[in-house]
Amino acid sequence: MNLRNVEYLIQEAFIGIWRNGIMAVASISIVALSMAIFGAFLLLVLGSHNFVERQLARFEIAVYLPVGESRQKAIEVRDQIRALPLARKVTLMSREKEWASFKRRMNTEIDLGGVTGNPLPYALHIESKDSRKTSRLADQIRHINGVAHVTDSRETYGRVKAVADLVKILGFAAALVLCFTTIFIISNAIRLTLFARRHEIQIMQLVGATNWFIRIPLVLEGIILGAMGALIAGGLISLGSGYIVNVVQERFPPLLRDISSGVDSRQFSMSLAMAGAFIGALGSFVSIRRFLRT
Amino acid sequence: MIEFCSASLVYPNGVKALSDVNLRVGRGEFVFLVGPSGSGKSSLLKLIYRELFPSQGKVFVAGQDVTAIPRNAVPYLRRRIGVVFQDFKLLPQKTVWENLAFVLRVISVPRREIRKRISEALDLVGMIHRCDSFPAELSGGEQQRASIARALVNNPPILIADEPTGNLDPDTSWGIIQILSRINARGTTVFVATHDNQVVDRLMRRVVALDNGLIIRDQDRGMYHHVPEPESLCNSEPQEC
């Protein structure tokens, strides 16, 4: 096959789409809608996954020094914890603020009249870099000299983590099922487009066209239809997610960072387009094979 | 040019379309294949361009056994045979010009040559003024002329026409047959299946008659219906391969 023919076959693909306008529009709409549903669901799953991860990261470790220990010692302990590779954020809590808050909370329940001075020990709150390694970090802190007590909410974390993992697995499994469904719907849409043109394929065979000469423009059409549909889907998702971000920003600003899917929308649209093109190509290739057999 | 050697054809449903056909069509001949509907005319023609495969026997085109051609070589056989169909089989989404250009693109003819050959072919069938029309915009006769132009645009040595006048009025039919006759005069072997007795009787060319898949008559200058003459009776024996 020479260059002249390649140019002709590419041209044929575009002419084919233009002249089979209604079928092309139908295919593009089906691809766009199914890809939009799949893409939106995927972003939702990624968003909820990130949300859970960020919530888990907030399980803090509380470290208490012995009662009466000096502020100097507390700062030393804080610096030692900061030096640990798993520790992300180490905050030395203010004893005065904690005592004032405790008194406020407990004033009606306990008589604190007999208590003089501030009986609370120095405390530190630590966030782990990796929520899955919070317990290990807590164990490392226990070995630091001058630490009296460490709590790491191990049980609560474990329970929340189990539920989060289950939600994550179910989410990704549903995304996978939806992915296969999308592939099935798109390849069927492409197959229907080709089915409508099976007589053309037969005529081309009768006038001496080789199977590749027939196949190339039709596969190219599949690629173009798939990519166009997927790009429209990308646009719809961008618009939709933009709207949701605006609503969240207005009503629940602190949530915005947590629910973000962390995906670049342009990159996501490009990936969708590539996936659409690939499914389109595959769908046409497989369908044409059936018609070329006769 | 075309030769059938004891060719038989039985369809998968058990219908016997052709029985032990022996026939030879020489280079440059004009042959009418006649017979009632269901007599096996179309099946016989389809064996030539390998749309059907004989159940038994062999079919030769230009000395090549078409039953022995591998599937991927069939397009190259079809490029040497121009085929005109009763239902025209023009690509509906392409103009007349593009339909002809497609055949030439398939064999990688340069663009300038494509223009020249299409103009010549359309000129021969008197369709140059409708070159930008889509098949749906043409009458039956015009579609058939476009179909003939497509069949001859790559100068095939053989032109097969399966009921080319089947859907046309008598005047248009005669016009189509005259075009086929002109193509034959240029040296192309023309093999026409028809049940149009008027054109057969008017042209008086070789007639091969089929009935129930059997060749029942082969006359050099025959009519549609058998007219017993001492000379034609001598030629009515099927030829041996």
Side-chain angles (χ1 to χ4, degrees), chain A residues 2 4-5 7-8 11-12 15 19-20 197 199-211 213-214 292-294, chain B residues 49 51 71 75-76 78-79 81 83 85 89-95 98 101-103 105-106 108-111 134 150:
Chain A
N2 56 33
R4 209 172 31 233
N5 271 349
E7 183 197 335
Y8 172 72
Q11 197 183 321
E12 281 294 284
I15 293 175
R19 292 199 181 152
N20 292 282
R197 294 171 67 183
H199 294 304
E200 275 183 62
I201 294 173
Q202 191 205 4
I203 295 168
M204 289 173 181
Q205 283 184 307
L206 287 174
V207 298
T210 55
N211 284 355
F213 201 89
I214 299 167
L292 288 177
R293 252 184 235 150
T294 52
Chain B
Y49 55 92
E51 202 184 343
R71 187 191 285 240
Y76 303 96
R78 289 177 179 170
R79 291 173 195 180
I81 305 167
V83 187
F85 304 91
K89 289 204 191 304
L90 292 166
L91 293 164
Q93 304 291 352
K94 290 188 189 300
T95 63
E98 289 166 345
F102 182 83
V103 176
R105 287 285 188 179
V106 161
S108 300
V109 175
R111 198 173 290 176
F134 285 95
R150 181 186 60 184

Side-chain angles (χ1 to χ4, degrees), chain B residues 1 10 15 20-21 25 27 61 92 111 122 160 170 180 186 193-194 209 211 218 220 223 226:
Chain B
M1 201 67 186
V10 182
V15 172
D20 197 30
V21 171
V25 177
R27 190 183 300 272
V61 171
R111 198 173 290 176
L122 290 177
I160 290 169
L180 293 177
R186 299 192 318 177
T194 184
D211 193 19
D218 188 347
D220 260 352
M223 308 278 276
H226 183 43

Side-chain angles (χ1 to χ4, degrees), chain B residues 39-88:
Chain B
S39 58
K41 301 190 296 292
S42 296
S43 300
L44 189 125
L45 295 186
K46 282 176 181 173
L47 291 179
I48 300 171
Y49 55 92
R50 253 287 287 272
E51 202 184 343
L52 290 175
F53 204 88
S55 315
Q56 272 184 339
K58 288 188 187 306
V59 179
F60 293 90
V61 171
Q64 191 181 19
D65 180 2
V66 299
T67 59
I69 296 175
R71 187 191 285 240
N72 58 3
V74 170
Y76 303 96
L77 164 77
R78 289 177 179 170
R79 291 173 195 180
R80 288 185 283 140
I81 305 167
V83 187
V84 179
F85 304 91
Q86 181 180 4
D87 59 352
F88 323 126

Side-chain angles (χ1 to χ4, degrees), chain A residues 40-68:
Chain A
F41 186 76
L42 193 66
L43 286 183
L44 197 71
V45 169
L46 285 173
S48 61
H49 168 69
N50 287 350
F51 178 75
V52 168
E53 283 297 316
R54 282 177 188 133
Q55 298 317 305
L56 285 173
R58 286 188 183 150
F59 272 93
E60 291 182 343
I61 300 170
V63 175
Y64 301 96
L65 273 65
V67 176

